[in-house]
């Protein structure tokens, strides 16, 4: 049940509500979205993480494994305004260090909210 | 994501529309698609339709490049008429499957809270209740009372709504009489043909729990495969 429900409105909605509130408060905001998964990825495609320029977070794209790296990318996206594609998984040396312990692979799209 | 897109998503959610946000992964360009309202048959729209039907966001490769399709569906609802024995089995199954369930039964003795913990119970007359609840394309309606006074008014509202599933308990014979009554009440052939009856898939169900399983399976097929028999 949790898998599919994460992809319908409820989960995503809360993240977007938070993102909107940050934006309304005059902060810069980036949205990271899981767009593809392979193997036993921790969160399904459609899962979102919102980050503001004070490093506040709402939602998740991996249940904590790669969020640190995503936040770094989100900061860059907020500054440049250009979207970025990130990939994490066992095939990626760096991602292995960041650690998707489940052995899955995910692609994360990061874009500015603006 | 543009703030204007987010504002539109909010309006769509309030209006209970199914909307799919399509993102061009090369440059972040986005468009909102309405796969059940737009009748077009472009590859993108078809992909959005499948994604929305399956509640599954994901990436598709199209001639113009990769697009991410993000699904925003209204919540699933199930409206059950009749706080009867089968309802006691169907309610927890539907809840587990992700539906917000409402049980409608004006007979107060039936709809007691102990029998349906954690579920919205309405003791309104079914046609009033149904008109208020306004079934949409993410709503399943199941009537279980066998009582024409209760089932028929609910069906009259349900069959004129966008409900993706309408099912009604009762034997073939009971159903034939029901169809006669509803035809007299002014419902057309196409509307009447939408009723799933006898209720559920034919799996030889006998007990209330088994009948609930067969109904839940049929509802799932209607939701995921778009079978609006």
């Amino acid at each position: 049940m949790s898998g599919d429900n994460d992809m319908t409105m409820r989960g995503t909605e809360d993240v977007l509500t938070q993102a909107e509130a940050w934006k309304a408060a005059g902060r810069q905001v980036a949205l990271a979205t899981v767009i593809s998964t392979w193997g036993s990825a921790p969160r399904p495609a459609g899962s979102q993480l919102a980050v503001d320029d004070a490093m506040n977070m709402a939602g998740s794209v991996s249940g904590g494994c790669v969020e640190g790296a995503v936040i770094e990318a989100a900061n860059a996206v907020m500054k440049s305004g250009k979207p970025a594609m990130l990939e994490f998984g066992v095939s990626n040396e760096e991602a292995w260090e960041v650690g998707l312990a489940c052995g899955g692979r995910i692609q994360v799209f990061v874009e500015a909210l603006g | 994501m543009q703030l204007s897109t987010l504002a539109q998503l909010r309006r769509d959610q309030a209006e209970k529309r199914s909307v799919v946000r399509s993102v061009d992964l090369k440059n972040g360009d986005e468009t909102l698609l309405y796969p059940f309202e737009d009748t077009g048959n472009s590859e993108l729209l078809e992909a959005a339709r499948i994604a929305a039907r399956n509640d599954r966001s994901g990436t598709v490769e199209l001639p113009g490049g990769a697009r991410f399709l993000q699904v925003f569906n209204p919540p699933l609802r199930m409206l059950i008429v009749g706080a009867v024995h089968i309802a006691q089995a169907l309610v927890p199954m539907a809840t587990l499957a992700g539906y917000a369930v409402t049980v409608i039964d004006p007979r107060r003795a039936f709809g007691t809270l102990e029998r349906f913990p954690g579920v919205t119970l309405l003791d309104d007359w079914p046609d009033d209740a149904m008109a208020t609840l306004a079934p949409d394309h993410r709503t399943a309606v199941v009537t279980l009372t066998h009582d024409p006074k209760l089932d028929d008014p609910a069906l009259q509202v349900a069959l004129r709504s966008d409900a993706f599933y309408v099912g009604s308990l009762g034997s073939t014979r009971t159903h034939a009489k029901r169809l006669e009554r509803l035809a007299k009440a002014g419902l057309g052939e196409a509307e009447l043909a939408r009723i799933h009856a006898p209720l559920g898939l034919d799996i030889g169900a006998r007990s209330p729990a088994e009948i609930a399983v067969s109904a839940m399976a049929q509802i799932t097929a209607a939701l995921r495969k778009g079978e609006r028999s």
Side-chain angles (χ1 to χ4, degrees):
Chain A
M1 162 173 178
S2 66
D4 262 16
N5 282 358
D6 284 340
M7 278 173 283
T8 49
M9 287 195 323
R10 219 76 36 114
T12 313
E13 202 178 1
D14 296 342
V15 176
L16 291 177
T17 303
Q18 184 60 68
E20 205 173 19
W22 285 334
K23 194 76 193 171
R27 303 190 205 163
Q28 286 193 302
V29 180
L31 285 173
T33 310
V34 178
I35 58 157
S36 298
T37 68
W38 297 264
S40 57
R43 302 291 314 274
S47 304
Q48 286 190 309
L49 169 74
V51 186
D52 76 356
D53 49 15
M55 304 261 279
N56 291 302
M57 289 195 295
S60 79
V61 290
S62 78
C65 321
V66 302
E67 265 71 6
V70 172
I71 288 171
E72 237 171 80
N75 259 316
V77 167
M78 274 180 236
K79 289 197 182 91
S80 72
K82 289 205 173 62
M85 186 78 80
L86 311 176
E87 197 168 323
F88 303 97
V90 287
S91 60
N92 178 326
E93 289 284 317
E94 193 187 336
W96 181 238
E97 286 165 25
V98 192
L100 267 182
C102 53
R105 194 150 67 89
I106 61 171
Q107 241 178 358
V108 177
F109 185 71
V110 186
E111 61 190 319
L113 178 65
Chain B
M1 185 188 276
Q2 297 297 312
L3 275 174
S4 58
T5 305
L6 187 47
Q8 183 59 45
L9 277 173
R10 293 264 177 263
R11 286 194 289 276
D12 295 337
Q13 287 173 338
E15 290 167 15
K16 301 208 162 132
R17 300 169 83 182
S18 280
V19 48
V20 176
R21 176 181 171 242
S22 165
V23 187
D24 185 328
L25 292 175
K26 280 196 309 287
N27 52 24
D29 287 355
E30 62 190 358
T31 45
L32 295 182
L33 306 169
Y34 299 88
F36 302 130
E37 298 171 37
D38 190 334
T39 52
N41 57 0
S42 69
E43 219 174 319
L44 178 61
L45 207 50
E46 283 295 337
R49 220 164 266 145
I50 293 168
R53 193 161 277 149
N54 293 331
D55 274 337
R56 187 163 293 163
S57 300
T59 305
V60 288
E61 293 291 341
L62 295 172
R67 304 290 164 87
F68 175 64
L69 300 178
Q70 188 173 14
V71 176
F72 295 86
N73 270 325
L76 286 168
R77 290 189 295 160
M78 189 181 294
L79 312 181
I80 299 174
V81 177
V84 298
H85 207 167
I86 292 171
Q88 281 179 274
L90 185 55
V91 167
M93 288 181 202
T95 305
L96 278 173
Y99 291 77
V101 183
T102 302
V103 177
I104 302 155
D105 200 322
R107 303 166 295 184
R108 280 171 190 270
F110 277 84
T112 53
L113 286 168
E114 308 84 75
R115 296 176 56 190
F116 295 95
V119 165
T120 309
L121 269 176
L122 292 178
D123 56 10
D124 298 331
W125 209 248
D127 46 352
D128 291 339
M130 294 286 289
T132 307
L133 294 165
D136 57 39
H137 72 286
R138 296 274 291 171
T139 308
V141 178
V142 185
T143 71
L144 297 174
T145 72
H146 287 113
D147 184 341
K149 285 200 303 297
L150 299 172
D151 284 356
D152 287 12
L155 288 170
Q156 290 192 37
V157 179
L159 293 174
R160 289 180 172 128
S161 77
D162 286 339
F164 74 86
Y165 176 93
V166 180
S168 204
L169 188 70
S171 66
T172 310
R173 209 169 129 259
T174 305
H175 186 54
K177 286 189 199 155
R178 177 186 295 135
L179 290 178
E180 277 175 36
R181 288 193 309 271
L182 291 172
K184 267 186 203 150
L187 281 133
E189 222 165 285
E191 288 166 330
L192 294 178
R194 287 180 58 195
I195 308 176
H196 289 81
L199 181 72
L201 297 183
D202 184 5
I203 56 172
R206 297 184 68 88
S207 71
E210 289 170 358
I211 293 166
V213 167
S214 79
M216 201 62 235
Q218 192 172 46
I219 293 164
T220 306
L223 174 69
R224 299 303 184 201
K225 296 168 83 180
E227 289 168 1
R228 294 181 57 144
S229 82

